[in-house]
Amino acid sequence: MKTIGIIAAMESELHTLEQMLQNRAVETLAGMPYYTGTIQDCPVVLCNCGVGKVNAALHTQILLDRYAPDVLIQSGVAGSLQPQVGCLDVVVGESLVYHDMQPWVLENFEPLQSVYLSDPKLVKIASDAAAGCHVGRIATGDQFVSDGALRRDIAQRTKALCVEMEGCAVAHTALLNDVPFVVLRAISDMADGTAEQSFAEFEKQAAVRAVEILLRMLPQIAAL
Ligand code: ADE
Protein backbone atom coordinates (compact mmCIF):
# COMPACT_ATOMS: atom_id res chain seq x y z
CA MET A 1 0.00 0.00 0.00
CA LYS A 2 1.17 3.52 -0.78
CA THR A 3 2.55 5.80 1.95
CA ILE A 4 1.18 9.33 1.64
CA GLY A 5 3.16 12.35 2.83
CA ILE A 6 1.05 15.36 3.80
CA ILE A 7 2.71 18.75 4.33
CA ALA A 8 0.94 21.77 5.75
CA ALA A 9 2.33 25.12 6.85
CA MET A 10 0.34 25.59 10.02
CA GLU A 11 -0.71 23.51 13.00
CA SER A 12 -4.39 24.39 12.37
CA GLU A 13 -4.13 22.75 8.96
CA LEU A 14 -2.90 19.42 10.36
CA HIS A 15 -4.55 19.23 13.76
CA THR A 16 -7.67 17.30 12.70
CA LEU A 17 -5.66 14.72 10.74
CA GLU A 18 -3.22 14.31 13.59
CA GLN A 19 -6.10 13.56 15.97
CA MET A 20 -7.29 10.79 13.64
CA LEU A 21 -3.96 8.92 13.51
CA GLN A 22 -3.92 5.25 14.54
CA ASN A 23 -0.57 3.80 15.72
CA ARG A 24 0.58 7.38 16.11
CA ALA A 25 4.28 8.15 16.51
CA VAL A 26 5.98 11.52 16.50
CA GLU A 27 9.55 12.69 16.07
CA THR A 28 11.02 16.15 15.73
CA LEU A 29 13.34 16.90 12.82
CA ALA A 30 14.88 20.33 12.15
CA GLY A 31 12.63 21.77 14.82
CA MET A 32 9.28 20.54 13.50
CA PRO A 33 7.12 17.52 14.45
CA TYR A 34 6.60 14.63 12.02
CA TYR A 35 3.65 12.34 12.78
CA THR A 36 3.37 8.83 11.36
CA GLY A 37 0.55 6.29 11.57
CA THR A 38 -2.51 5.32 9.60
CA ILE A 39 -5.72 7.15 8.77
CA GLN A 40 -8.55 5.02 7.39
CA ASP A 41 -5.93 2.24 7.13
CA CYS A 42 -3.72 4.37 4.84
CA PRO A 43 -0.11 4.82 5.97
CA VAL A 44 0.59 8.55 6.27
CA VAL A 45 3.35 10.94 7.37
CA LEU A 46 2.17 14.37 8.48
CA CYS A 47 4.54 17.32 8.57
CA ASN A 48 3.84 20.80 9.82
CA CYS A 49 6.60 22.67 7.95
CA GLY A 50 6.08 26.28 9.05
CA VAL A 51 5.42 29.16 6.66
CA GLY A 52 7.35 30.24 3.60
CA LYS A 53 9.41 28.68 0.84
CA VAL A 54 12.56 27.81 2.82
CA ASN A 55 10.63 25.93 5.52
CA ALA A 56 8.55 24.19 2.86
CA ALA A 57 11.52 23.06 0.76
CA LEU A 58 13.70 21.91 3.63
CA HIS A 59 10.95 19.92 5.35
CA THR A 60 9.84 18.39 2.06
CA GLN A 61 13.39 17.12 1.53
CA ILE A 62 13.60 15.80 5.10
CA LEU A 63 10.24 14.07 4.75
CA LEU A 64 11.28 12.44 1.47
CA ASP A 65 14.70 11.34 2.79
CA ARG A 66 13.47 10.01 6.12
CA TYR A 67 10.11 8.45 5.22
CA ALA A 68 10.25 7.85 1.43
CA PRO A 69 6.52 8.42 0.82
CA ASP A 70 5.14 7.30 -2.54
CA VAL A 71 3.20 10.53 -3.05
CA LEU A 72 3.09 14.00 -1.49
CA ILE A 73 0.12 16.24 -0.85
CA GLN A 74 0.65 19.85 0.14
CA SER A 75 -2.50 21.18 1.71
CA GLY A 76 -3.62 24.36 3.40
CA VAL A 77 -5.26 27.75 2.90
CA ALA A 78 -4.68 30.47 0.29
CA GLY A 79 -5.74 33.94 -0.83
CA SER A 80 -7.89 34.21 -3.97
CA LEU A 81 -6.48 36.04 -7.00
CA GLN A 82 -9.58 35.79 -9.18
CA PRO A 83 -13.16 37.05 -8.80
CA GLN A 84 -14.67 33.61 -9.51
CA VAL A 85 -12.69 32.06 -6.62
CA GLY A 86 -14.45 32.87 -3.35
CA CYS A 87 -13.79 32.30 0.35
CA LEU A 88 -13.96 28.60 1.31
CA ASP A 89 -13.75 27.54 -2.35
CA VAL A 90 -11.15 24.87 -3.06
CA VAL A 91 -8.33 25.17 -5.61
CA VAL A 92 -6.48 22.12 -6.91
CA GLY A 93 -3.08 23.24 -8.17
CA GLU A 94 -2.56 21.70 -11.56
CA SER A 95 0.54 23.89 -11.94
CA LEU A 96 2.64 25.86 -9.47
CA VAL A 97 4.79 28.94 -10.03
CA TYR A 98 6.77 31.37 -7.89
CA HIS A 99 5.48 34.94 -8.04
CA ASP A 100 8.62 36.38 -6.44
CA MET A 101 11.26 34.86 -8.73
CA GLN A 102 11.78 35.85 -12.33
CA PRO A 103 10.77 32.93 -14.58
CA TRP A 104 13.75 33.50 -16.91
CA VAL A 105 16.21 32.95 -14.05
CA LEU A 106 14.69 29.55 -13.21
CA GLU A 107 14.51 28.64 -16.88
CA ASN A 108 18.17 29.45 -17.58
CA PHE A 109 19.69 28.04 -14.41
CA GLU A 110 18.88 24.88 -12.42
CA PRO A 111 16.19 23.53 -12.25
CA LEU A 112 15.75 24.90 -15.83
CA GLN A 113 12.01 25.29 -15.39
CA SER A 114 9.68 27.87 -13.87
CA VAL A 115 6.40 25.91 -13.91
CA TYR A 116 5.95 22.76 -11.81
CA LEU A 117 3.15 20.37 -12.75
CA SER A 118 1.22 18.30 -10.23
CA ASP A 119 0.74 14.63 -11.03
CA PRO A 120 -2.33 14.33 -13.34
CA LYS A 121 -3.70 11.24 -11.52
CA LEU A 122 -3.52 13.07 -8.18
CA VAL A 123 -5.13 16.18 -9.72
CA LYS A 124 -8.02 13.98 -10.89
CA ILE A 125 -8.39 12.33 -7.47
CA ALA A 126 -8.32 15.74 -5.75
CA SER A 127 -10.81 17.35 -8.12
CA ASP A 128 -13.17 14.35 -7.87
CA ALA A 129 -12.97 14.64 -4.07
CA ALA A 130 -13.74 18.38 -4.10
CA ALA A 131 -17.04 18.94 -5.90
CA GLY A 132 -17.13 22.38 -7.53
CA CYS A 133 -13.44 23.02 -6.99
CA HIS A 134 -11.29 25.19 -9.28
CA VAL A 135 -8.44 23.45 -11.08
CA GLY A 136 -5.57 25.60 -12.30
CA ARG A 137 -2.43 27.46 -11.32
CA ILE A 138 -1.29 28.40 -7.82
CA ALA A 139 1.29 31.15 -7.19
CA THR A 140 3.74 30.92 -4.27
CA GLY A 141 5.94 33.58 -2.67
CA ASP A 142 7.37 34.73 0.64
CA GLN A 143 4.68 37.30 1.29
CA PHE A 144 1.20 37.42 2.82
CA VAL A 145 -0.63 39.26 0.04
CA SER A 146 -3.04 41.80 1.48
CA ASP A 147 -3.01 44.66 -1.00
CA GLY A 148 -5.26 45.11 -4.04
CA ALA A 149 -2.54 46.45 -6.35
CA LEU A 150 -0.10 43.66 -5.47
CA ARG A 151 -2.89 41.10 -5.90
CA ARG A 152 -3.66 42.43 -9.40
CA ASP A 153 0.03 42.44 -10.31
CA ILE A 154 0.57 38.82 -9.19
CA ALA A 155 -2.66 37.69 -10.90
CA GLN A 156 -1.68 39.41 -14.14
CA ARG A 157 1.90 38.06 -14.17
CA THR A 158 1.13 34.48 -13.12
CA LYS A 159 -2.51 33.93 -14.24
CA ALA A 160 -2.89 31.96 -10.99
CA LEU A 161 -6.19 31.28 -9.21
CA CYS A 162 -4.78 31.81 -5.72
CA VAL A 163 -1.66 32.76 -3.81
CA GLU A 164 0.06 31.12 -0.87
CA MET A 165 3.55 30.73 0.60
CA GLU A 166 4.69 27.08 0.25
CA GLY A 167 3.10 25.11 -2.61
CA CYS A 168 5.63 25.76 -5.38
CA ALA A 169 8.59 25.08 -3.06
CA VAL A 170 7.09 21.67 -2.19
CA ALA A 171 6.35 21.05 -5.88
CA HIS A 172 9.89 22.03 -6.89
CA THR A 173 11.45 19.74 -4.25
CA ALA A 174 9.13 16.83 -5.05
CA LEU A 175 9.88 17.17 -8.74
CA LEU A 176 13.66 17.12 -8.22
CA ASN A 177 13.16 13.92 -6.20
CA ASP A 178 10.84 12.41 -8.81
CA VAL A 179 7.97 12.02 -6.34
CA PRO A 180 4.40 12.64 -7.56
CA PHE A 181 2.61 15.46 -5.77
CA VAL A 182 -0.50 17.62 -5.75
CA VAL A 183 -1.26 20.91 -4.03
CA LEU A 184 -4.70 21.51 -2.55
CA ARG A 185 -5.80 24.84 -1.06
CA ALA A 186 -9.00 26.19 0.47
CA ILE A 187 -9.53 29.94 0.22
CA SER A 188 -9.33 31.93 3.46
CA ASP A 189 -9.26 35.48 2.00
CA MET A 190 -9.22 37.57 -1.17
CA ALA A 191 -5.53 38.62 -0.86
CA ASP A 192 -6.57 42.30 -0.84
CA GLY A 193 -7.08 44.98 1.83
CA THR A 194 -9.62 42.73 3.59
CA ALA A 195 -7.24 39.75 3.73
CA GLU A 196 -5.98 39.99 7.30
CA GLN A 197 -9.47 40.20 8.80
CA SER A 198 -10.83 37.55 6.44
CA PHE A 199 -7.90 35.23 7.18
CA ALA A 200 -8.61 35.52 10.91
CA GLU A 201 -12.30 34.76 10.26
CA PHE A 202 -12.06 31.96 7.68
CA GLU A 203 -8.68 30.30 8.24
CA LYS A 204 -10.02 27.55 10.53
CA GLN A 205 -13.08 26.81 8.37
CA ALA A 206 -10.91 26.74 5.23
CA ALA A 207 -8.47 24.35 6.94
CA VAL A 208 -11.39 22.04 7.88
CA ARG A 209 -12.59 22.12 4.28
CA ALA A 210 -9.14 21.08 3.01
CA VAL A 211 -9.03 18.22 5.53
CA GLU A 212 -12.48 16.93 4.44
CA ILE A 213 -11.21 16.66 0.89
CA LEU A 214 -7.93 15.05 1.95
CA LEU A 215 -9.86 12.36 3.80
CA ARG A 216 -11.82 11.57 0.65
CA MET A 217 -8.57 11.40 -1.34
CA LEU A 218 -6.62 9.01 0.91
CA PRO A 219 -8.33 5.70 -0.02
CA GLN A 220 -8.22 6.61 -3.72
CA ILE A 221 -4.49 7.31 -3.54
CA ALA A 222 -3.75 4.24 -1.45
CA ALA A 223 -5.41 2.11 -4.13
CA LEU A 224 -3.36 3.57 -7.02
N1 ADE B 1 -2.38 32.14 2.68
C1 ADE B 1 -3.65 32.46 2.94
N2 ADE B 1 -3.95 33.71 2.50
C2 ADE B 1 -2.82 34.19 1.93
C3 ADE B 1 -2.48 35.41 1.31
N3 ADE B 1 -3.37 36.39 1.21
N4 ADE B 1 -1.21 35.57 0.86
C4 ADE B 1 -0.30 34.59 0.99
N5 ADE B 1 -0.57 33.40 1.58
C5 ADE B 1 -1.82 33.20 2.04
Side-chain angles (χ1 to χ4, degrees), residues 77-80 141 143-146 163-165 185 188-192 195 199:
V77 301
S80 167
Q143 200 166 7
F144 184 83
V145 179
S146 56
V163 63
E164 38 83 311
M165 301 173 70
R185 293 277 176 164
S188 57
D189 58 81
M190 299 306 286
D192 58 9
F199 182 84

PDB file of all heavy atoms in Angstrom, residues 77-80 141 143-146 163-165 185 188-192 195 199, ligand 1:
ATOM      1  N   VAL A  77      -4.368  26.659   3.286  1.00  0.00           N
ATOM      2  CA  VAL A  77      -5.257  27.752   2.899  1.00  0.00           C
ATOM      3  C   VAL A  77      -4.513  28.701   1.958  1.00  0.00           C
ATOM      4  O   VAL A  77      -3.283  28.656   1.851  1.00  0.00           O
ATOM      5  CB  VAL A  77      -5.805  28.500   4.141  1.00  0.00           C
ATOM      6  CG1 VAL A  77      -6.563  27.538   5.042  1.00  0.00           C
ATOM      7  CG2 VAL A  77      -4.702  29.207   4.914  1.00  0.00           C
ATOM      8  N   ALA A  78      -5.285  29.558   1.271  1.00  0.00           N
ATOM      9  CA  ALA A  78      -4.676  30.469   0.294  1.00  0.00           C
ATOM     10  C   ALA A  78      -5.559  31.696   0.129  1.00  0.00           C
ATOM     11  O   ALA A  78      -6.729  31.702   0.517  1.00  0.00           O
ATOM     12  CB  ALA A  78      -4.507  29.762  -1.049  1.00  0.00           C
ATOM     13  N   GLY A  79      -4.985  32.735  -0.482  1.00  0.00           N
ATOM     14  CA  GLY A  79      -5.737  33.938  -0.830  1.00  0.00           C
ATOM     15  C   GLY A  79      -6.155  33.870  -2.295  1.00  0.00           C
ATOM     16  O   GLY A  79      -5.354  33.491  -3.151  1.00  0.00           O
ATOM     17  N   SER A  80      -7.397  34.260  -2.581  1.00  0.00           N
ATOM     18  CA  SER A  80      -7.889  34.214  -3.967  1.00  0.00           C
ATOM     19  C   SER A  80      -7.263  35.329  -4.801  1.00  0.00           C
ATOM     20  O   SER A  80      -7.101  36.459  -4.339  1.00  0.00           O
ATOM     21  CB  SER A  80      -9.406  34.382  -3.973  1.00  0.00           C
ATOM     22  OG  SER A  80      -9.842  34.628  -5.301  1.00  0.00           O
ATOM     23  N   GLY A 141       4.872  32.616  -2.941  1.00  0.00           N
ATOM     24  CA  GLY A 141       5.939  33.579  -2.669  1.00  0.00           C
ATOM     25  C   GLY A 141       6.040  33.849  -1.183  1.00  0.00           C
ATOM     26  O   GLY A 141       5.133  33.500  -0.411  1.00  0.00           O
ATOM     27  N   GLN A 143       5.395  36.088   0.944  1.00  0.00           N
ATOM     28  CA  GLN A 143       4.679  37.303   1.288  1.00  0.00           C
ATOM     29  C   GLN A 143       3.213  36.969   1.551  1.00  0.00           C
ATOM     30  O   GLN A 143       2.605  36.236   0.745  1.00  0.00           O
ATOM     31  CB  GLN A 143       4.755  38.251   0.092  1.00  0.00           C
ATOM     32  CG  GLN A 143       4.501  39.679   0.415  1.00  0.00           C
ATOM     33  CD  GLN A 143       4.929  40.582  -0.739  1.00  0.00           C
ATOM     34  OE1 GLN A 143       5.295  40.114  -1.825  1.00  0.00           O
ATOM     35  NE2 GLN A 143       4.859  41.865  -0.509  1.00  0.00           N
ATOM     36  N   PHE A 144       2.651  37.486   2.639  1.00  0.00           N
ATOM     37  CA  PHE A 144       1.199  37.415   2.821  1.00  0.00           C
ATOM     38  C   PHE A 144       0.620  38.565   2.002  1.00  0.00           C
ATOM     39  O   PHE A 144       0.876  39.734   2.295  1.00  0.00           O
ATOM     40  CB  PHE A 144       0.819  37.538   4.302  1.00  0.00           C
ATOM     41  CG  PHE A 144      -0.661  37.365   4.529  1.00  0.00           C
ATOM     42  CD1 PHE A 144      -1.216  36.093   4.632  1.00  0.00           C
ATOM     43  CD2 PHE A 144      -1.488  38.467   4.605  1.00  0.00           C
ATOM     44  CE1 PHE A 144      -2.592  35.927   4.814  1.00  0.00           C
ATOM     45  CE2 PHE A 144      -2.860  38.317   4.781  1.00  0.00           C
ATOM     46  CZ  PHE A 144      -3.411  37.046   4.892  1.00  0.00           C
ATOM     47  N   VAL A 145      -0.134  38.235   0.970  1.00  0.00           N
ATOM     48  CA  VAL A 145      -0.629  39.261   0.042  1.00  0.00           C
ATOM     49  C   VAL A 145      -1.920  39.859   0.594  1.00  0.00           C
ATOM     50  O   VAL A 145      -2.917  39.157   0.762  1.00  0.00           O
ATOM     51  CB  VAL A 145      -0.846  38.656  -1.366  1.00  0.00           C
ATOM     52  CG1 VAL A 145      -1.371  39.713  -2.324  1.00  0.00           C
ATOM     53  CG2 VAL A 145       0.450  38.042  -1.884  1.00  0.00           C
ATOM     54  N   SER A 146      -1.873  41.148   0.880  1.00  0.00           N
ATOM     55  CA  SER A 146      -3.040  41.803   1.478  1.00  0.00           C
ATOM     56  C   SER A 146      -3.166  43.227   0.934  1.00  0.00           C
ATOM     57  O   SER A 146      -3.448  44.159   1.674  1.00  0.00           O
ATOM     58  CB  SER A 146      -2.915  41.815   3.008  1.00  0.00           C
ATOM     59  OG  SER A 146      -1.707  42.434   3.389  1.00  0.00           O
ATOM     60  N   VAL A 163      -3.045  32.513  -4.230  1.00  0.00           N
ATOM     61  CA  VAL A 163      -1.661  32.763  -3.806  1.00  0.00           C
ATOM     62  C   VAL A 163      -1.453  32.228  -2.391  1.00  0.00           C
ATOM     63  O   VAL A 163      -2.339  32.332  -1.543  1.00  0.00           O
ATOM     64  CB  VAL A 163      -1.336  34.277  -3.897  1.00  0.00           C
ATOM     65  CG1 VAL A 163      -2.199  35.120  -2.953  1.00  0.00           C
ATOM     66  CG2 VAL A 163       0.138  34.559  -3.643  1.00  0.00           C
ATOM     67  N   GLU A 164      -0.291  31.621  -2.196  1.00  0.00           N
ATOM     68  CA  GLU A 164       0.061  31.116  -0.865  1.00  0.00           C
ATOM     69  C   GLU A 164       1.582  31.157  -0.724  1.00  0.00           C
ATOM     70  O   GLU A 164       2.241  31.806  -1.548  1.00  0.00           O
ATOM     71  CB  GLU A 164      -0.559  29.732  -0.619  1.00  0.00           C
ATOM     72  CG  GLU A 164      -0.597  28.793  -1.813  1.00  0.00           C
ATOM     73  CD  GLU A 164       0.688  28.053  -2.044  1.00  0.00           C
ATOM     74  OE1 GLU A 164       1.756  28.680  -2.053  1.00  0.00           O
ATOM     75  OE2 GLU A 164       0.623  26.850  -2.282  1.00  0.00           O
ATOM     76  N   MET A 165       2.140  30.484   0.284  1.00  0.00           N
ATOM     77  CA  MET A 165       3.545  30.730   0.599  1.00  0.00           C
ATOM     78  C   MET A 165       4.432  29.473   0.592  1.00  0.00           C
ATOM     79  O   MET A 165       5.595  29.563   0.978  1.00  0.00           O
ATOM     80  CB  MET A 165       3.642  31.442   1.963  1.00  0.00           C
ATOM     81  CG  MET A 165       2.880  32.762   1.965  1.00  0.00           C
ATOM     82  SD  MET A 165       2.781  33.571   3.588  1.00  0.00           S
ATOM     83  CE  MET A 165       4.467  34.077   3.807  1.00  0.00           C
ATOM     84  N   ARG A 185      -5.652  23.675  -1.944  1.00  0.00           N
ATOM     85  CA  ARG A 185      -5.795  24.844  -1.063  1.00  0.00           C
ATOM     86  C   ARG A 185      -7.256  25.269  -0.945  1.00  0.00           C
ATOM     87  O   ARG A 185      -7.985  25.288  -1.941  1.00  0.00           O
ATOM     88  CB  ARG A 185      -4.986  26.015  -1.638  1.00  0.00           C
ATOM     89  CG  ARG A 185      -3.491  25.803  -1.621  1.00  0.00           C
ATOM     90  CD  ARG A 185      -2.900  26.148  -0.277  1.00  0.00           C
ATOM     91  NE  ARG A 185      -1.485  25.869  -0.177  1.00  0.00           N
ATOM     92  CZ  ARG A 185      -0.697  26.369   0.780  1.00  0.00           C
ATOM     93  NH1 ARG A 185      -1.166  27.173   1.693  1.00  0.00           N
ATOM     94  NH2 ARG A 185       0.570  26.056   0.824  1.00  0.00           N
ATOM     95  N   SER A 188      -9.042  31.284   2.176  1.00  0.00           N
ATOM     96  CA  SER A 188      -9.330  31.935   3.458  1.00  0.00           C
ATOM     97  C   SER A 188      -9.553  33.434   3.309  1.00  0.00           C
ATOM     98  O   SER A 188     -10.042  34.089   4.233  1.00  0.00           O
ATOM     99  CB  SER A 188      -8.164  31.711   4.431  1.00  0.00           C
ATOM    100  OG  SER A 188      -6.960  32.202   3.857  1.00  0.00           O
ATOM    101  N   ASP A 189      -9.177  34.006   2.151  1.00  0.00           N
ATOM    102  CA  ASP A 189      -9.255  35.476   1.995  1.00  0.00           C
ATOM    103  C   ASP A 189      -9.089  35.837   0.530  1.00  0.00           C
ATOM    104  O   ASP A 189      -8.750  34.997  -0.293  1.00  0.00           O
ATOM    105  CB  ASP A 189      -8.171  36.162   2.848  1.00  0.00           C
ATOM    106  CG  ASP A 189      -6.778  35.684   2.477  1.00  0.00           C
ATOM    107  OD1 ASP A 189      -6.215  36.182   1.482  1.00  0.00           O
ATOM    108  OD2 ASP A 189      -6.273  34.773   3.140  1.00  0.00           O
ATOM    109  N   MET A 190      -9.294  37.112   0.222  1.00  0.00           N
ATOM    110  CA  MET A 190      -9.221  37.567  -1.172  1.00  0.00           C
ATOM    111  C   MET A 190      -7.879  38.240  -1.490  1.00  0.00           C
ATOM    112  O   MET A 190      -7.737  38.889  -2.537  1.00  0.00           O
ATOM    113  CB  MET A 190     -10.386  38.521  -1.483  1.00  0.00           C
ATOM    114  CG  MET A 190     -11.772  37.879  -1.315  1.00  0.00           C
ATOM    115  SD  MET A 190     -11.992  36.344  -2.273  1.00  0.00           S
ATOM    116  CE  MET A 190     -12.149  37.000  -3.924  1.00  0.00           C
ATOM    117  N   ALA A 191      -6.892  38.111  -0.625  1.00  0.00           N
ATOM    118  CA  ALA A 191      -5.529  38.624  -0.857  1.00  0.00           C
ATOM    119  C   ALA A 191      -5.511  40.128  -1.155  1.00  0.00           C
ATOM    120  O   ALA A 191      -4.611  40.621  -1.836  1.00  0.00           O
ATOM    121  CB  ALA A 191      -4.838  37.838  -1.983  1.00  0.00           C
ATOM    122  N   ASP A 192      -6.514  40.851  -0.635  1.00  0.00           N
ATOM    123  CA  ASP A 192      -6.572  42.302  -0.837  1.00  0.00           C
ATOM    124  C   ASP A 192      -6.585  43.007   0.529  1.00  0.00           C
ATOM    125  O   ASP A 192      -6.179  42.405   1.535  1.00  0.00           O
ATOM    126  CB  ASP A 192      -7.808  42.668  -1.681  1.00  0.00           C
ATOM    127  CG  ASP A 192      -9.097  42.176  -1.026  1.00  0.00           C
ATOM    128  OD1 ASP A 192      -9.050  41.711   0.146  1.00  0.00           O
ATOM    129  OD2 ASP A 192     -10.149  42.250  -1.675  1.00  0.00           O
ATOM    130  N   ALA A 195      -7.792  41.100   3.537  1.00  0.00           N
ATOM    131  CA  ALA A 195      -7.238  39.748   3.732  1.00  0.00           C
ATOM    132  C   ALA A 195      -6.947  39.400   5.191  1.00  0.00           C
ATOM    133  O   ALA A 195      -7.250  38.290   5.630  1.00  0.00           O
ATOM    134  CB  ALA A 195      -5.972  39.572   2.889  1.00  0.00           C
ATOM    135  N   PHE A 199      -8.737  36.373   6.803  1.00  0.00           N
ATOM    136  CA  PHE A 199      -7.899  35.228   7.179  1.00  0.00           C
ATOM    137  C   PHE A 199      -8.221  34.816   8.618  1.00  0.00           C
ATOM    138  O   PHE A 199      -8.429  33.636   8.904  1.00  0.00           O
ATOM    139  CB  PHE A 199      -6.417  35.593   7.045  1.00  0.00           C
ATOM    140  CG  PHE A 199      -5.486  34.470   7.373  1.00  0.00           C
ATOM    141  CD1 PHE A 199      -5.158  33.516   6.418  1.00  0.00           C
ATOM    142  CD2 PHE A 199      -4.925  34.350   8.632  1.00  0.00           C
ATOM    143  CE1 PHE A 199      -4.298  32.466   6.720  1.00  0.00           C
ATOM    144  CE2 PHE A 199      -4.072  33.313   8.951  1.00  0.00           C
ATOM    145  CZ  PHE A 199      -3.750  32.366   7.987  1.00  0.00           C
TER     146      PHE A 199
HETATM  147  N1  ADE B   1      -2.379  32.144   2.678  1.00  0.00           N
HETATM  148  C1  ADE B   1      -3.649  32.461   2.938  1.00  0.00           C
HETATM  149  N2  ADE B   1      -3.948  33.706   2.501  1.00  0.00           N
HETATM  150  C2  ADE B   1      -2.817  34.186   1.931  1.00  0.00           C
HETATM  151  C3  ADE B   1      -2.484  35.413   1.313  1.00  0.00           C
HETATM  152  N3  ADE B   1      -3.372  36.385   1.212  1.00  0.00           N
HETATM  153  N4  ADE B   1      -1.212  35.571   0.858  1.00  0.00           N
HETATM  154  C4  ADE B   1      -0.303  34.593   0.991  1.00  0.00           C
HETATM  155  N5  ADE B   1      -0.567  33.401   1.579  1.00  0.00           N
HETATM  156  C5  ADE B   1      -1.816  33.196   2.040  1.00  0.00           C
END
